[in-house]
């Protein structure tokens, strides 16, 4: 008799962003004339920049020419993209080489799939609140998960103490959803903890490009000792608008070991078995992000989103609504006014202003009473949403 994976029963009914999409679809059906503005899922709105689309156009032509046609891509990325990524680190003086780079279809898949490398008999430590993929992908496997509180009191940046327990530690900085960014000292505390306890840190750096303050770290490998205890996940989604194009990369240091096994070789084995590589055309586009033109154009797009964030922050300041984030992050994490729960506030915004945000409780129990807005909208959409909220709050 077939036995399903019963751990799926321990998940919430829907993945957070699917649940939001479901509620928005129901609202639209009931209110066909409403012009809904989404500040919910962190999906970009600016198109791919010209340097990227030019490179992709050339790659399309190559694919149509027998002399340059490409078949299966290498499972973990073409050398031209891996070397561009390694250079991106080298330029910042960060010790990452081409051998450490694994190209994929995005950080979401990799943060979920990395669970394959670890035995179920590990304690998984996850900050609360945080990007729901970390928790859900471990719940699916029936793993023991401990939550570490990220609250207003610790600036949403928990640190290890003598009671902290964790073999696998998830960290996300700049944080999704709170926008909080670890300092070097904060990350060093985690690296020291991991080295002392033989743990691995899974560091989600999907939002690193939003860090404008040079004093703040953008990679865990800026911290001494991190190569011996950390894996880093990065994405072109938010940095270069690849949410619909799909490309990301994971850094597994070549020498990283756990329990006598080499994690880099294990990840290579896992990816070459279960993943057939990111499309050539997409990888050519991703490599163009690192060209001088691609860099300038993608950074201009990030500035546009950060300007949206500034508008949202100014609005919240005017209304006296407390928030974090927005400075080095596309996310603004606010306190729901009038003592509303997160979903009550979601419904209020949707039903009275046709504005969609993300309920904080969807990121963990510490997110209750909080709400996330994204700055990935268009300028017009952001301004109009703020106008509508002005009338409401
Ligand atoms: C978010 O809104 O948190 C992200 O866009 C979701 C994702 O990256 O998968």
């Amino acid at each position: 008799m077939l036995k399903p994976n019963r751990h799926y029963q321990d998940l919430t009914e829907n993945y957070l962003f699917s649940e939001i999409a479901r509620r928005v679809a129901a609202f639209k059906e009931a209110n066909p004339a409403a012009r809904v503005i989404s500040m919910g899922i962190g999906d970009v709105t600016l198109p791919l920049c010209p340097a990227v689309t030019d490179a992709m156009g050339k790659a399309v032509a190559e694919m149509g020419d027998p002399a340059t046609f490409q078949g299966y891509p290498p499972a973990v990325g073409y050398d031209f993209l891996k070397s561009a990524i390694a250079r991106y680190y080298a330029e910042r003086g960060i010790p990452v080489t081409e051998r450490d780079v694994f190209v994929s279809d995005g950080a979401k898949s990799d943060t979920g799939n990395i669970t394959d490398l670890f035995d179920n008999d590990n304690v998984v430590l996850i900050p609360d609140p945080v990007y729901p993929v970390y928790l859900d992908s471990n719940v699916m496997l029936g793993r023991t998960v401990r939550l570490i509180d990220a609250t207003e009191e610790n600036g949403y940046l928990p640190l290890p103490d003598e009671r902290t327990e964790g073999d696998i530690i998830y960290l996300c900085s700049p944080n999704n959803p709170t926008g909080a960014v670890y300092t070097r000292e904060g990350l060093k505390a985690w690296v020291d903890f991991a080295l002392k306890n033989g743990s691995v840190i899974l560091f989600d750096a999907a939002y690193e490009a939003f860090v404008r303050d040079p004093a703040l770290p953008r990679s865990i490998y800026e911290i001494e000792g991190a190569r011996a205890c950390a894996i880093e996940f990065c994405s072109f989604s938010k940095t270069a608008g690849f949410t619909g194009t799909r490309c990301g990369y994971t850094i597994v240091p070549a020498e990283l070991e756990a329990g006598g096994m080499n994690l880099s070789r294990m990840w290579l084995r896992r990816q070459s078995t279960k993943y057939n590589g990111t499309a050539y055309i997409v990888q050519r586009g991703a490599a163009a992000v690192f060209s001088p033109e691609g860099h300038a154009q993608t950074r201009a797009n990030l500035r546009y989103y950060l300007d949206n964030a500034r508008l949202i922050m100014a609005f919240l300041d005017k209304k006296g609504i407390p928030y974090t984030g927005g400075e080095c992050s596309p996310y603004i994490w606010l306190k729901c006014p009038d003592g509303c729960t997160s979903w009550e506030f979601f419904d209020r915004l949707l039903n009275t202003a046709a504005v969609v945000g993300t309920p904080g409780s969807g990121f963990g129990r510490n997110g209750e009473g909080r709400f996330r807005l994204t700055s990935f909208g268009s300028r017009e959409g952001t301004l109009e949403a703020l106008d509508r909220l002005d009338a409401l709050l």
Side-chain angles (χ1 to χ4, degrees), residues 15-17 20 39-44 107-109 111 130-133 176-177 204 206-207 235 237-238 243 246 331 358 363 372 374 376:
Y15 178 60
L16 173 62
F17 295 104
I20 292 171
M39 298 170 96
I41 190 164
D43 197 1
V44 293
K108 180 181 188 177
S109 321
T111 49
V130 89
Y131 183 42
V133 170
N176 179 10
D204 187 345
Y207 299 94
S235 165
S237 288
K238 324 290 162 152
T243 52
R246 308 309 310 145
Y331 298 129
T358 307
F363 297 98
R372 193 194 77 174
T374 119
F376 281 124

Side-chain angles (χ1 to χ4, degrees), residues 65-79:
D65 179 341
T68 48
F69 169 74
Q70 303 283 326
Y72 285 123
V76 295
Y78 285 100
D79 286 346

